[in-house]
Amino acid sequence: MGCLLIWVGKRCLPWKRLFGAGSTLGRATKGDVVLSARLRAALVRLNPELPAEAINNAIDDIARDRSAMLPEAANREVYHMLKEGITVSVPDHAHGGQKMTRLRIIDWELAEKNDFVLVSQFSVTGALYTCRPDLVGFVNGLPWVVIELKKPGVPARSAFDENLTHYKQQIPNLFCFNALMIASNGTDSRVGSLTADWERWVEWKRIKREDEPRRVSLEVMLRGICDRTRLLDLVENFTLFSEHKAGLVKIIAQNHQFLGVNNAIASMLEARKMGHGRGGVFWQTQGSGKSFSMVFYAQKVLRKLTGNWTFVVVTDRTELDEQIAKTFKAVGAVSDSEGDECHASSGAHLRELLRGNHRYVFTLVHKFQTPELLCDRSDVIVLTDEAHRSQYDTLALNMRSALPKAMFMAFTGTPLIAGEERTKEVFGDYVSIYDFQQSIEDGATVPLFYENRTPELQLVNPDLNDDIYQLIEDADLNAEQEAKLERELGRQYHLITRDDRLDTLAKDIVRHFLGRGFVGKAMVRCLSTRPPHYECLIK
């Protein structure tokens, strides 16, 4: 592992390198996790106009004790300080008294303006134990990255189970400032957030482009994530905190989301330069976090690109509409009240929203019933979900007439097939491709297995036709009744829903589901939403 530490420090990360064992690195005690001298130097460099008192107050605010808070809540509080800066009081020389101004902690635009330091064997003393993570990456004196390494042959998961989990319990103050953690044995390398269990830790297989060959290695992980510019981008624009009933969850983008969203933004900028509204088709398979990709896209545009942007999120089904709006609310992109206000309930309400000044508008495509002009702003971006299904028909034409200068970006979880190529004509070419097979290989989606287990129908009565004719003759039906009977008997429904066949189906489903040898979900494709064999399954 010692050779691995040297290799990481010298070859992969162009950060300053320090050795922490036996050294306080300028800290008052080993219980401190902030390198105060480096933090002070960075704040002075980034805020040269502010007095020393304001700098001191900011350092106290940044490094204050947060042990009484839940770790994830403390992490979110620090994250917002890093991203938005700190409001400090300074003398108002022009008008007298004091005025409030904002102090920057990080220069998000120019990576070289920040101080990147990699410390090996960084000792931190907690309430009971002294812990020594293998590598800690500091940005402007704050511990952003914790890397734990294992010898080749030792599972990378042991770094999570035995070390990182122990650190989070014993020295939680180190993780108030944490952006991400990495566990590796040199070949198997994973990255995860503060709240992620091991199943949510992911590989990072490509550095700059989606068409790079997949490589699972520590070098790709470090160059792809810890490159100074990419790390700032990942932390600033690809980090979310999502509120759930079970608690607060920290989300960092996966490799395909990071590359795909940046591709999509580049495509959007090129489309604006060329003077058309075809932002592109963003294909990332179902289950790979497409809704979060939409949030990452919108949030980065709002933060990094100048403009009074409005995002119109369009779906073609009510459940999708509610699901995406719920995702945007959960991560704080919109507040609960704002989310309700900007959710179009009718065509008239949509007209009112689009003529207003809302950051987000959620609607079904069916609300565009007429080609009436609703908004001619050029800083409107339409994000359409599953665009290949309905977005380019009459309703979509109405939508484009209503928003003639808007940018249109199509998000889909399935590839475009024959008959759907018009989607590319309407929205542009692919800007990101992350297909089902890639998702399975990366562990983002579970494999899907299909097995046809349909009991075949068999004719066991060779005299069936004669028997039916005799029954009809005995019933003495009139012409209208005979025609109705002929229509009914012409359908297979009555044959495939016979009680004995349904009982056979139900027994086979139960036997197969319980005997698979693993716990998991299954899907049964049925004739209707409440299939006739449902009661047989329950029985």
Side-chain angles (χ1 to χ4, degrees), residues 325 328-342 360 362:
F328 275 76
K329 290 179 185 178
V331 299
V334 295
S335 64
D336 287 338
S337 59
E338 185 185 7
D340 295 334
E341 291 172 4
C342 63
Y360 292 100
F362 299 92

Side-chain angles (χ1 to χ4, degrees), residues 271-342:
R272 284 175 64 84
K273 182 179 177 181
M274 299 295 292
H276 62 75
R278 297 187 298 277
V281 178
F282 189 98
W283 168 29
Q284 295 197 348
T285 192
Q286 295 172 349
S288 63
K290 181 159 52 72
S291 295
F292 285 127
S293 294
M294 296 175 79
V295 179
F296 291 135
Y297 177 89
Q299 293 290 79
K300 182 167 183 178
V301 170
L302 287 169
R303 183 170 176 86
K304 306 301 287 187
L305 302 182
T306 302
N308 184 31
W309 301 102
T310 293
F311 291 89
V312 181
V313 183
V314 182
T315 62
D316 64 348
R317 293 190 312 202
T318 301
E319 57 268 31
L320 275 178
D321 186 38
E322 294 174 349
Q323 173 196 324
I324 292 177
K326 183 179 179 181
T327 298
F328 275 76
K329 290 179 185 178
V331 299
V334 295
S335 64
D336 287 338
S337 59
E338 185 185 7
D340 295 334
E341 291 172 4
C342 63

Side-chain angles (χ1 to χ4, degrees), residues 450-458 492 495-497 500-509 511-512 523-527 533:
Y450 171 76
E451 183 175 350
N452 188 352
R453 299 174 66 83
T454 305
E456 299 294 337
L457 292 172
Q458 296 180 351
Q492 294 185 5
L495 298 176
I496 62 180
T497 58
D500 55 348
R501 185 174 185 275
L502 293 180
D503 188 58
T504 300
L505 271 172
K507 288 179 180 178
D508 183 63
I509 290 172
R511 187 183 306 112
H512 183 255
M523 178 183 294
V524 180
R525 183 177 179 182
C526 307
L527 289 172
H533 57 275

Side-chain angles (χ1 to χ4, degrees), residues 21 44 65 81 117 132 199 210 230 262 298 314 326 329 378-379 392 439 446 475 528:
V44 170
D65 181 21
M81 293 172 63
V117 172
R132 192 176 294 165
E199 285 67 31
E210 288 186 339
R230 280 190 281 272
N262 280 329
V314 182
K326 183 179 179 181
K329 290 179 185 178
S378 62
D379 50 7
Y392 51 74
S439 183
V446 297
S528 61

